[in-house]
Amino acid sequence: MGKIRVNNIRVHSNHGCLKEEMLIGSDYRVDLEVHANLSRPSQSDKLSETVDYVHLNNIVKEEMAIRSNLLEHVAKRIINRIFLEIESVLAAEIQVSKINPPIGGDVESVTVVLEAKRPT
């Protein structure tokens, strides 16, 4: 078993329930960790036998571009796509953070964390 992490994926998107969030948007940070058996690619040195982190990054960027009211919803969509498109991924954890959220205080970010195992 092994882990692949893609950290600090930065995107601008229009998630949120407030009208100004839908219009202006906000900055987001996404951190992703996937679990897979990495013993074979660690020996073969073949990209085709591992989890391609370029693919992971593209999934995150594409799903973050689709507006959702809740960070929980976009995070779950990202995990669902990872399991759908990358069958070697056995488990995933995603953190989606809204930077400088409009919540009436001096808050650096709010973060939603979801974990899931591949459905059997």
Side-chain angles (χ1 to χ4, degrees), residues 47-95:
L47 178 60
S48 62
E49 294 181 351
T50 193
V51 178
D52 184 352
Y53 46 80
V54 172
H55 191 174
L56 293 171
N57 186 55
N58 287 337
I59 289 171
V60 169
K61 290 190 307 184
E62 289 168 11
E63 290 300 322
M64 287 297 290
I66 302 168
R67 205 194 81 68
S68 291
N69 287 330
L70 302 178
L71 299 181
E72 294 88 332
H73 187 256
V74 70
K76 182 61 173 160
R77 285 201 328 263
I78 292 168
I79 287 177
N80 289 346
R81 266 199 63 195
I82 289 169
F83 287 144
L84 179 68
E85 296 180 18
I86 308 172
E87 57 185 64
S88 61
V89 171
L90 305 172
E93 177 182 298
I94 186 162
Q95 298 180 31

Side-chain angles (χ1 to χ4, degrees), residues 1-61:
M1 184 68 86
K3 300 175 187 177
I4 293 177
R5 293 184 181 123
V6 184
N7 297 313
N8 200 20
I9 303 167
R10 292 176 301 276
V11 295
H12 186 85
S13 192
N14 297 70
H15 305 299
C17 297
L18 301 176
K19 189 173 183 175
E20 59 267 19
E21 291 177 302
M22 294 178 203
L23 296 173
I24 299 168
S26 299
D27 292 323
Y28 294 85
R29 172 188 168 150
V30 179
D31 296 295
L32 178 64
E33 177 177 287
V34 297
H35 298 244
N37 185 341
L38 301 179
S39 59
R40 190 169 176 184
S42 69
Q43 296 294 318
S44 71
D45 198 28
K46 293 181 181 176
L47 178 60
S48 62
E49 294 181 351
T50 193
V51 178
D52 184 352
Y53 46 80
V54 172
H55 191 174
L56 293 171
N57 186 55
N58 287 337
I59 289 171
V60 169
K61 290 190 307 184

